[in-house]
Amino acid sequence: MLDVRRDETVRHIPQQRGRRASWSAALLRGEGTEARRAWRANYVRRLVALDVLAALVAAFVAQAFEVGAATGSLVSAGSPLWSVLVLPVLWAGSMMAARAYEERFLWVGAEEFRRVFFAAALLLAMLGTLSWAFRLEVARGFVIVAVPLATALTLSFRLAQRALLHRQRAEGKFLQTAIVVGHRSGVAALHEQFERQSKHGYRVIGCCVPARRDGQAITFDGLPVLGSLDDVVDVVRKYEVDTVAVLPSPELEGAALRRLGWDLEQTEAELLLAPAVTEVAGPRVRIRPVAGLPLMHMERPSFTGHRRVIKDSFDKTAAVVGILLVAPVLISLALAVKLTSRGPVFFKHERVGRDGQPFHVWKFRTMVPNADKIEMDLFDQNEGNAVQFKMKRDPRITSVGAVMRRYSLDELPQFFNVLGGSMSLVGPRPHVTREVEQYGFDMARRLLVKPGITGLWQVSGRSDLSWDDSVRIDVRYVENWTLTFDLMILWKTVGAVVRGSGAY
């Protein structure tokens, strides 16, 4: 059980890791728990209201489309209103049937949006079936205008709500308390991950670790040690914890973990189990019944076959379109480089690509001539990570080059690399031979795919990332890449480029 001395230490522990990881004595005592949980119901109610609003707007537009198609006018005082009234009801019902209001699918990830699309498909299928079965005359605008428009508006509203929530969570609002349970090495890693991904809304207030023979430690990794592995349920009740994150450990396997789950059912806390295999998610992971047990099946990552053909075709088509669209920008940047500094317009540098094959990456020159030779004299001023050389105020960068680097305009010529097949639009960043020689076993996985113009590195902090974070992000992409994943990264790249964060 918990001892008084540890409780007193918890109440007086100083703030750790800045505002996001700080906590107060009131939070640890569980004060304001109802307020911490009430926002979820309010959030869901807002989503329902916005979905109804989206359906209303879509129904009015479809009604105008029908009237305009029939009379050549966009308005008609005598147009029937039954479709305007029935669509919001059907739309909200479809969303409920698709389970688009369940909290576990909200706030982060793509599952929420997939369920919106499923609700739209469900509604269309239901309309088609009913109109065929009862020979109903369903207006064309109701099908080809109202449902797609309701889907688009719903997705827009949900994206806006999610963005607002993430900003509020970054300010320390709408967080749910969590404790991490497991051995010390795993606790430290998971705590760091929670800190890094604040938009998920977890504030770790302490941990439960195996008791040591020399007595229980008061703190670990800046966290209060609230108890041992046997004290988890007592800790949850005492501090009214919202979430228990359990790491793999011999003490909590099989029957012990099952009993912990049963005991937590008597509380308000949710149970999260961290898998032993990390950085693998999405379509590669399935729970399958094997020998009467629900076992996690991990599919092989797909590096060949039709998915690669689709990706290559998409890359080259997009590269052609991109070159045509940005041709005036390419010409303007080339002139700016040529007229403001001596040397060639383009910078050609050898990098290591898929399967370890070297290739030359093309960029606009952003540095003075012979910058590679000067780099050796600047290594003691490195502000990058342990492997990559970076400086926020690199004296080798020209004035035009600084602007191009901030907004990644210097990388536009890499469209020609994509067209030639040595690069992809999305993938790990290409490294030089010196950096590849320092790869560990995990990092070598990134050579299984083509390097990309953009990728998870670009949208996750770029040069501000440590080498370990870069490794983790690249491995995650390689293990889980899909065309949908690529499209999501391309969308996020726009915001990362506009912000210019981590670009130097």
Side-chain angles (χ1 to χ4, degrees):
M1 297 297 291
L2 301 177
D3 59 276
V4 176
R5 183 189 63 177
R6 190 181 307 125
D7 291 347
E8 291 300 319
T9 304
V10 168
R11 292 191 181 99
H12 294 91
I13 191 168
Q15 292 185 347
Q16 302 287 339
R17 299 176 181 265
R19 180 177 59 186
R20 291 182 181 177
S22 65
W23 56 81
S24 64
L27 182 62
L28 280 172
R29 287 194 300 269
E31 295 176 8
T33 302
E34 292 302 322
R36 293 203 311 271
R37 293 170 181 166
W39 71 267
R40 305 183 197 178
N42 293 333
Y43 187 95
V44 172
R45 281 193 288 268
R46 265 198 314 275
L47 288 185
V48 175
L50 289 172
D51 290 347
V52 170
L53 176 61
L56 275 172
V57 172
F60 274 114
V61 172
Q63 194 67 31
F65 172 82
E66 279 297 307
V67 172
T71 66
S73 170
L74 288 180
V75 248
S76 172
S79 58
L81 294 178
W82 70 268
S83 61
V84 174
L85 298 175
V86 76
L87 181 60
V89 177
L90 293 177
W91 183 241
S94 297
M95 298 289 281
M96 290 179 184
R99 299 160 68 190
Y101 297 123
E102 292 189 17
E103 293 180 5
R104 57 178 172 158
F105 302 133
L106 304 178
W107 309 314
V108 291
E111 185 60 30
E112 176 182 2
F113 307 122
R114 280 196 288 265
R115 292 190 174 273
V116 172
F117 283 116
F118 178 74
L122 184 65
L123 179 56
L124 288 173
M126 182 176 64
L127 289 174
T129 302
L130 291 176
S131 63
W132 174 82
F134 298 101
R135 298 183 180 180
L136 300 176
E137 292 295 331
V138 180
R140 288 174 299 167
F142 196 82
V143 177
I144 66 174
V145 175
V147 176
L149 182 56
T151 304
L153 290 175
T154 296
L155 290 172
S156 300
F157 289 154
R158 288 184 174 233
L159 278 170
Q161 284 293 298
R162 180 179 290 194
L164 175 61
L165 176 62
H166 289 176
R167 284 198 299 271
Q168 291 171 324
R169 280 178 165 175
E171 297 170 358
K173 302 176 183 177
F174 304 130
L175 302 178
Q176 54 194 81
T177 57
I179 59 171
V180 182
V181 180
H183 285 258
R184 287 171 171 76
S185 58
V187 166
L190 188 57
H191 180 209
E192 182 181 356
Q193 184 69 8
F194 278 139
E195 292 282 301
R196 187 186 297 114
Q197 297 290 334
S198 62
K199 66 181 181 181
H200 287 247
Y202 294 105
R203 171 178 286 164
V204 182
I205 64 170
C207 60
C208 291
V209 295
R212 301 195 310 193
R213 293 181 180 178
D214 56 351
Q216 182 79 338
I218 296 176
T219 64
F220 172 73
D221 193 41
L223 290 173
V225 177
L226 302 178
S228 68
L229 299 185
D230 297 326
D231 299 326
V232 175
V233 178
D234 292 332
V235 169
V236 168
R237 290 198 175 104
K238 184 176 182 64
Y239 300 111
E240 298 186 23
V241 175
D242 299 320
T243 302
V244 177
V246 178
L247 293 152
S249 60
E251 296 87 346
L252 286 175
E253 289 184 351
L257 183 59
R258 187 166 59 249
R259 283 195 299 271
L260 175 61
W262 291 341
D263 290 339
L264 290 177
E265 288 177 3
Q266 309 304 316
T267 70
E268 295 293 329
E270 65 175 352
L271 177 63
L272 302 180
L273 301 180
V277 180
T278 59
E279 304 299 349
V280 178
R284 287 191 57 201
V285 176
R286 292 286 185 272
I287 301 297
R288 295 184 178 177
V290 178
L293 297 173
L295 301 184
M296 186 174 73
H297 181 83
M298 189 170 66
E299 302 283 355
R300 295 176 182 270
S302 178
F303 301 122
T304 58
H306 71 282
R307 291 178 62 202
R308 171 163 284 178
V309 172
I310 293 173
K311 181 177 173 68
D312 289 345
S313 301
F314 173 78
D315 284 340
K316 293 188 177 182
T317 302
V320 171
V321 174
I323 291 170
L324 294 176
L325 289 176
V326 302
V329 179
L330 291 171
I331 295 172
S332 300
L333 292 175
L335 290 173
V337 173
K338 189 65 178 177
L339 296 176
T340 56
S341 63
R342 296 183 300 105
V345 171
F346 296 102
F347 174 71
K348 185 176 69 171
H349 200 222
E350 185 176 274
R351 303 292 176 96
V352 179
R354 186 172 67 191
D355 298 327
Q357 296 300 312
F359 73 101
H360 287 98
V361 64
W362 289 90
K363 304 175 69 174
F364 282 118
R365 181 176 57 83
T366 59
M367 293 185 174
V368 298
N370 301 320
D372 288 349
K373 298 178 181 178
I374 303 175
E375 180 179 313
M376 300 304 298
D377 300 328
L378 299 173
F379 255 97
D380 58 339
Q381 303 178 49
N382 182 24
E383 297 177 84
N385 54 52
V387 178
Q388 296 171 301
F389 177 81
K390 294 284 183 180
M391 289 182 64
K392 292 183 178 179
R393 291 178 176 82
D394 196 322
R396 302 171 297 164
I397 299 176
T398 64
S399 56
V400 172
V403 175
M404 288 195 294
R405 278 174 169 249
R406 177 169 179 78
Y407 299 105
S408 300
L409 297 175
D410 58 316
E411 298 179 0
L412 289 178
Q414 292 172 24
F415 277 126
F416 294 100
N417 283 111
V418 176
L419 197 59
S422 57
M423 291 183 67
S424 175
L425 282 179
V426 181
R429 287 297 297 156
H431 287 166
V432 299
T433 303
R434 173 179 57 82
E435 295 166 345
V436 173
E437 289 173 349
Q438 301 182 60
Y439 281 3
F441 177 78
D442 290 349
M443 196 58 170
R445 295 283 289 178
R446 73 195 310 278
L447 298 179
L448 294 173
V449 300
K450 291 180 184 179
I453 298 178
T454 186
L456 276 182
W457 176 85
Q458 179 105 11
V459 302
S460 302
R462 293 196 265 191
S463 298
D464 290 336
L465 295 173
S466 68
W467 179 252
D468 289 340
D469 285 341
S470 298
V471 171
R472 176 180 53 82
I473 285 171
D474 283 338
V475 171
R476 180 193 301 172
Y477 174 79
V478 173
E479 293 291 329
N480 301 288
W481 76 269
T482 62
L483 186 57
T484 304
F485 198 16
D486 284 358
L487 292 174
M488 182 197 72
I489 292 172
L490 288 172
W491 172 257
K492 289 188 174 183
T493 298
V494 177
V497 169
V498 171
R499 290 191 302 270
S501 57
Y504 51 87

